[in-house]
Amino acid sequence: MHISEGVLSVPALAAGWAAAGVGAAMGLRKIRTERIARVSLMSSAFFLASLVNVRVGPGSTHLSLIAPMGLILGWAAFPAIMAALLLQALLFSFGGLLVLGPNTADMAVPAVAVFLLFSGPVRRADGKRAALLSFLAGAVAVLLGALGVGLFLGISDGNFIGAAKVIFAAHVPLAVIEGVVTSFMVLWLKKAAPEFLIEAGKGL
Amino acid sequence: MIRINGVSGAESRKSRLDRVDPRVRILGGVAFMVMVSMLDGWFQLLCASAVPLALLICCVPAGGCQARSMLKTMLRLNLAGLVTAALLIATYPGFEEGAAKGAALIARLNIISVAALMLIVSMGPERVDAALSSLGMPEKFRIILLLTQRGIFILSERMNAALCALRLRAPRMGTGMRLRAFSGVAASAILHGAARSERMALAITCRGGMKGFDQ
C-alpha cells in the first residue's frame, strides 16, 4: 500500500508528515535506551519479511506484517516503520522520500490501532480465541491502511474517491491473507516467547 | 529469496554534487520536490523538468553502471506510476480530465524521482543519516536507522537460509501450509533478531553506551 511520488497534493503530504512526525515523536519517547537495539532488529526483521514474495494460488503477494509489528512494538512501531521505509527508499529506491510521511502514517497508525485494541485480549486469550483475535487484528490493520490511502487520495483531490474505493476493494483479499499469517505468527510467538507480545499501557 | 543488493545501492556514488553540502542537497531537494507537487500545468512541469535533466546531464556518466542502475530504477517506478495513472483514468469522472491527471502524475513522478535519486539517494544512507543528524534529527532515531541498516544484512543471511531449507524440504506446498511455514520463518527471524539485539546492546554498553554515537 505504498503511495507513489507525484500523486499526493501538498495538503495531503503535510497531513501525512504531521501524523508521522507526532507518532514518531511519541514512539521515540516510549522506547527505553536499552531497547533501541531490539526495536532496530525488529524493524530489520519486518523489512526483510515484507520483501519475501509468498505464492498464493496462481499469484503471489508480499506481506506487510503491520499487525505483528504493532503487537510486538506498540508505539515504537512508528519510528521502526519510518526507519524501514526510509532505508527502502535509500537502499532500493523503493517507495519515495517525499511520500515517506504519508506512507509511514498509512502503516504505523493501523499498527498502533491494533496494539491499542487487540494487544490485551490477544495476550490473555488462548487457543482458538487467540487465533481468531489475531486474525481480526491482521485483517483490520490492512483495511485501516487501505482506508488511510483512500483518505490521503481524497484530501489530494475529491475526484480520486473512485480510485480509493478500488484500492480498498483490492485490499480485502490481502486482509484475509494477512489475517491468516498474523494468526499463525501470534500463536507461534505465544508458544515460543509470549513475553514478546506487549500490552497497552506497558512500555517496550 | 531475498536479494540485498544494498552494497551497490548503499555506496555513495561520486559525482560533481559531492562538493555541495549534504544538508543543502537534502533541503534543496525537498523544497524542489514540494514545489513540483504543486504543479499541474504542462508548461510548468516542462520548466520544472529542466532541473532533473540538468542534474542527469552534468552528474551521471553516460553508459556507466550508475546510468544503467538509474534506468532500471526509473523503469520500475514508471511501471508503478502507469498502473496508478490507469486506475485514475478508469475511475475519474470524465475521461479527458482523468487522462490529463494521469499524464501529469507520471510527469511529476519522473521529475521528483530523478531529483530525489540525484540529490539525496545517491549520497548513500550513511551520509544522509549524518546530514539529517546535523539538521536536528533525534539521536534515538539516528541510532535506530543505523542499527536497522546493520540488522538487515545480518538477518537476511539467516532468512535466506531458512527459506532455502523450506523449499528443499517441501518444494510443493499448498497455500495454507505455505502461509503457515512463512509465518514460522518470519516469527523465528524476529526471535533471532531479538536475541541478537540483546548481544548488540551489551556490546554497545561495553563500548561506552549510546554516548558512543554522539559525534
Side-chain angles (χ1 to χ4, degrees):
Chain A
M1 72 196 63
H2 284 82
I3 306 172
S4 303
E5 300 274 28
V7 177
L8 299 182
S9 64
V10 172
L13 288 168
W17 274 104
V22 166
M26 288 193 65
L28 288 172
R29 279 181 67 182
K30 289 184 185 280
I31 300 173
R32 287 175 286 153
T33 309
E34 60 270 20
R35 289 294 194 204
I36 287 179
R38 177 184 276 203
V39 171
S40 310
L41 269 291
M42 294 298 105
S43 178
S44 313
F46 284 117
F47 174 100
L48 288 168
S50 65
L51 285 182
V52 178
N53 270 332
V54 181
R55 207 153 53 88
V56 178
S60 71
T61 182
H62 80 89
L63 300 165
S64 52
L65 301 180
I66 300 173
M69 204 147 182
L71 292 171
I72 292 174
L73 292 176
W75 279 98
F78 255 105
I81 288 173
M82 189 178 256
L85 290 177
L86 179 57
L87 283 171
Q88 275 187 351
L90 292 175
L91 289 175
F92 306 118
S93 306
F94 186 72
L97 288 172
L98 195 61
V99 287
L100 180 67
N103 281 332
T104 302
D106 254 345
M107 297 179 80
V109 167
V112 171
V114 156
F115 166 67
L116 293 172
L117 292 171
F118 289 96
S119 59
V122 163
R123 261 186 79 95
R124 289 188 289 270
D126 271 319
K128 282 183 185 165
R129 197 174 137 82
L132 180 66
L133 285 169
S134 338
F135 174 85
L136 284 173
V140 162
V142 170
L143 293 175
L144 283 176
L147 269 177
V149 170
L151 181 68
F152 286 123
L153 288 177
I155 295 173
S156 296
D157 186 339
N159 292 317
F160 285 174
I161 292 295
K165 287 179 187 168
V166 171
I167 290 169
F168 185 85
H171 276 82
V172 170
L174 289 177
V176 172
I177 296 166
E178 192 85 20
V180 169
V181 170
T182 304
S183 187
F184 284 139
M185 277 184 76
V186 166
L187 289 176
W188 197 96
L189 284 170
K190 277 176 81 69
K191 274 188 211 165
E195 70 277 6
F196 260 71
L197 301 167
I198 62 173
E199 203 157 341
K202 294 182 184 167
L204 180 67
Chain B
M1 289 298 237
I2 304 166
R3 285 196 178 79
I4 307 287
N5 295 323
V7 174
S8 59
E11 284 175 357
S12 55
R13 302 181 182 111
K14 295 197 187 309
S15 79
R16 289 196 188 111
L17 288 170
D18 287 344
R19 285 176 230 163
V20 180
D21 190 320
R23 292 169 295 182
V24 170
R25 284 172 72 166
I26 289 175
L27 291 175
V30 168
F32 175 73
M33 290 190 279
V34 169
M35 185 207 71
V36 171
S37 299
M38 292 192 275
L39 304 178
D40 222 9
W42 278 108
F43 181 70
Q44 297 164 341
L45 287 168
L46 198 62
C47 295
S49 65
V51 171
L53 269 173
L55 287 170
L56 276 173
I57 290 166
C58 299
C59 304
V60 175
C65 62
Q66 188 179 346
R68 276 196 296 273
S69 114
M70 177 162 275
L71 195 60
K72 266 191 219 170
T73 303
M74 292 310 298
L75 277 170
R76 182 167 41 82
L77 289 172
N78 273 288
L79 198 61
L82 277 169
V83 170
T84 311
L87 180 64
L88 281 182
I89 292 169
T91 56
Y92 208 82
F95 178 78
E96 282 177 17
E97 292 87 355
K101 282 279 179 187
L105 184 158
I106 295 197
R108 281 196 300 268
L109 168 72
N110 278 282
I111 295 170
I112 291 173
S113 299
V114 172
L117 284 170
M118 294 304 302
L119 290 171
I120 301 172
V121 176
S122 62
M123 285 197 288
E126 290 84 10
R127 288 178 67 195
V128 170
D129 181 79
L132 288 174
S133 174
S134 62
L135 283 170
M137 182 171 72
E139 188 65 13
K140 261 188 194 170
F141 186 77
R142 191 174 87 88
I143 296 167
I144 288 172
L145 200 61
L146 287 171
L147 293 180
T148 301
Q149 188 186 350
R150 176 78 187 112
I152 287 166
F153 294 98
I154 293 171
L155 293 183
S156 67
E157 215 179 300
R158 186 176 173 90
M159 274 198 83
N160 274 331
L163 290 169
C164 195
L166 199 62
R167 287 191 185 100
L168 283 171
R169 283 167 176 75
R172 279 182 280 277
M173 270 190 286
T175 300
M177 184 52 77
R178 195 175 299 116
L179 289 176
R180 192 170 181 171
F182 170 75
S183 307
V185 167
S188 69
I190 288 166
L191 276 190
H192 176 77
R196 187 78 188 234
S197 75
E198 300 296 328
R199 295 199 295 276
M200 202 184 262
L202 280 172
I204 290 170
T205 306
C206 289
R207 283 162 177 78
M210 292 299 164
K211 287 181 187 156
F213 283 94
D214 288 335
Q215 297 289 325

